Amino acid sequence: MNTALKQWKEASTLILTAGRRLGADSLWPSTPLDRNGAATRLPHSSQFDYDVLLLKRSAKSTFMPNAYVFPGGMVDSSDFSSDWLDVFKSFLNSPGFGLRSVKQPVENRPPIFATNRLKLGSPIPGEVALRICAVRETFEESGVLLVVPKTEEKRILKSFQDARFSQHHAEHKLGCDELSKWRALVNKNPSNFMRMCQELEVLPNIWALHEWANWLTPTAKYGRTRFDTAFFMCCLQEMPSTLQDEKEIERFQWSTPSEILQSYQARRLWIAPPQFYELSRMCRFPLLNDLHSFAHQRATEGCDQWMPVIVLQDQQHISLLPGDKLYPADPSKPTKDDHKDSQLEEPTDDSDLHRMVMSDPYTTTLQITVKPKYNHLLPVVAPALSHDPKSQL
């Protein structure tokens, strides 16, 4: 791990989706687009053939208590342990342990991906360790174990680039009691995750995780702890079994992206701005097959590092993102919440906008006119989301 970081804690998050049955009324027209190519309304929940896993953080949590989040957490030094070389020994001759190379020039890569970990004392590439972290944290928090048997190594070496779906593998044949035992051990000490993989002869399915985004905690938000978080996307054909976490997580919930957004605006749950943005992106793909194909193909393009810059105007918090006309050249410098009204006037058609406007903790709208980089998605930017009274979490 990057011990040179003083202000940031590195973390990994997994957007985990799983197939569901498509509703009988799913054959609706496609989501309409405005002239900028942005979606103008949410797809109905019945249009989705997949759900997303959300976890409700404990009220006692020191970071975003009671929030609904994607599974994930801080990188542990064991994620960068050289002992993983033995676990992945069949893949050592493949660059990045068999992960596909990213086209984005290294000088433009977010530091969390570009940092040379060998210079920091670890032979494990960052893109590998970050995925190990995401798999481990997902197991700790939800009981979902994304591993493949070592007997599948040859198949993975030949076909991982062409895999249509990242499947949830059950070949490890762990019973509920044994799964709970290992989960308790991993929660007690993250290094036990590697020991589990060694004893069970399984591999963390790093090839099923597709690079999606990189979000940084804005200045003076959510307490003193700030995270530099790699977001990954993983699509499962079938919904895996989950086990309740009695410590950090109070409950888990599988729901469609539109259900989550509707429940958020109906004040039934609270999600952080990155979750709101990414779920709005996912609403462009109601079908799991389309989402997976896009995530798999786009992942090799790379991604931007996004650190929101928060300004206050007329009782509204405006979260500026890279590309917005008011986004500062150095977002790491503290900003004053005293922007003049003329600077944050009503957007015009020719304005470069990339922002989230938060009227209150449960009312967020997106204003986006910029084109996304690295072949990424424009999110749904409807000014108001329709409420479905039947949608409950």
Side-chain angles (χ1 to χ4, degrees):
M1 59 192 304
N2 195 345
T3 55
L5 292 175
K6 296 180 179 180
Q7 188 177 17
W8 306 97
K9 293 183 182 295
E10 291 183 316
S12 290
T13 283
L14 184 60
I15 305 174
L16 186 63
T17 64
R20 67 184 308 204
R21 291 185 178 182
L22 196 61
D25 57 346
S26 62
L27 298 179
W28 286 30
S30 58
T31 302
L33 305 179
D34 65 15
R35 62 183 178 182
N36 294 318
T40 57
R41 78 178 183 204
L42 287 177
H44 192 273
S45 61
S46 62
Q47 287 183 266
F48 288 85
D49 68 349
Y50 66 89
D51 285 328
V52 185
L53 178 62
L54 279 188
L55 310 173
K56 184 181 181 183
R57 297 184 64 85
S58 168
K60 299 178 181 178
S61 175
T62 58
F63 185 74
M64 293 196 299
N66 295 313
Y68 279 78
V69 298
F70 303 127
M74 283 194 302
V75 170
D76 186 78
S77 58
S78 64
D79 300 325
F80 281 96
S81 171
S82 59
D83 290 339
W84 284 111
L85 296 176
D86 181 62
V87 176
F88 288 98
K89 60 185 177 182
S90 296
F91 298 87
L92 298 183
N93 291 329
S94 301
F97 291 25
L99 295 171
R100 294 173 299 154
S101 59
V102 176
K103 302 173 186 177
Q104 185 180 15
V106 65
E107 60 270 20
N108 296 334
R109 294 281 282 153
I112 196 170
F113 294 115
T115 298
N116 187 329
R117 306 293 171 157
L118 195 58
K119 291 183 178 179
L120 298 176
S122 173
I124 309 301
E127 60 266 29
V128 173
L130 291 166
R131 285 171 168 84
I132 291 173
C133 173
V135 173
R136 174 181 56 77
E137 284 285 344
T138 299
F139 179 52
E140 289 182 26
E141 294 183 334
S142 70
V144 176
L145 184 56
L146 299 169
V147 297
V148 291
K150 296 203 76 172
T151 54
E152 295 286 310
E153 287 179 334
K154 291 183 179 180
R155 180 190 63 81
I156 295 171
L157 283 166
K158 291 181 179 179
S159 64
F160 70 86
Q161 289 190 359
D162 300 321
R164 187 68 174 165
F165 278 99
S166 307
Q167 297 190 22
H168 174 74
H169 293 268
E171 290 84 351
H172 47 75
K173 298 180 181 179
L174 279 185
C176 185
D177 291 342
E178 190 173 5
L179 196 65
S180 297
K181 180 195 76 172
W182 277 111
R183 187 181 178 203
L185 288 171
V186 175
N187 269 296
K188 185 177 180 180
N189 188 336
S191 65
N192 283 326
F193 184 64
M194 178 169 41
R195 185 162 69 91
M196 182 197 74
C197 291
Q198 291 171 329
E199 292 193 17
L200 299 179
E201 297 185 336
V202 295
L203 301 164
N205 196 349
I206 60 173
W207 308 279
L209 275 59
H210 307 299
E211 183 179 318
W212 186 260
N214 176 212
W215 286 83
L216 278 69
T217 310
T219 303
K221 296 292 286 184
Y222 314 115
R224 295 182 179 180
T225 305
R226 301 178 70 188
F227 294 98
D228 183 353
T229 306
F231 279 64
F232 298 98
M233 176 71 70
C234 178
C235 301
L236 309 179
Q237 285 181 311
E238 298 179 357
M239 192 172 295
S241 299
T242 50
L243 295 174
Q244 191 70 38
D245 178 9
E246 299 178 355
K247 293 183 178 181
E248 298 180 16
I249 304 302
E250 289 188 355
R251 62 173 296 192
F252 62 84
Q253 178 69 43
W254 291 94
S255 301
T256 69
S258 64
E259 284 175 333
I260 298 167
L261 293 170
Q262 289 165 0
S263 293
Y264 161 69
Q265 291 209 337
R267 300 172 184 264
R268 289 191 287 265
L269 58 81
W270 186 80
I271 54 176
Q275 276 76 12
F276 181 89
Y277 194 103
E278 300 305 345
L279 288 165
S280 298
R281 271 177 164 170
M282 294 168 68
C283 284
R284 295 291 298 269
F285 287 124
L287 300 183
L288 183 64
N289 185 32
D290 294 340
L291 175 63
H292 178 268
S293 295
F294 172 82
H296 180 268
Q297 294 170 14
R298 196 222 63 82
T300 59
E301 299 293 330
C303 68
D304 261 340
Q305 181 190 70
W306 286 2
M307 187 178 80
V309 173
I310 311 298
V311 297
L312 182 64
Q313 184 205 27
D314 297 333
Q315 305 301 315
Q316 290 185 328
H317 286 89
I318 300 177
S319 178
L320 303 174
L321 297 171
D324 191 280
K325 62 180 182 179
L326 294 182
Y327 193 79
D330 185 358
S332 63
K333 291 183 178 180
T335 58
K336 296 182 179 180
D337 295 332
D338 58 358
H339 284 69
K340 296 181 180 180
D341 290 348
S342 59
Q343 288 181 296
L344 293 173
E345 61 189 3
E346 286 297 315
T348 59
D349 290 342
D350 58 352
S351 299
D352 288 332
L353 302 177
H354 192 198
R355 59 182 65 174
M356 291 182 277
V357 180
M358 293 161 278
S359 303
D360 62 59
Y362 294 91
T363 305
T364 299
T365 56
L366 296 168
Q367 295 178 355
I368 305 175
T369 60
V370 299
K371 183 179 179 180
K373 294 182 179 179
Y374 305 110
N375 289 334
H376 223 313
L377 285 170
L378 279 172
V380 170
V381 294
L385 305 183
S386 61
H387 292 173
D388 184 352
K390 296 181 180 179
S391 173
Q392 295 185 1
L393 291 183

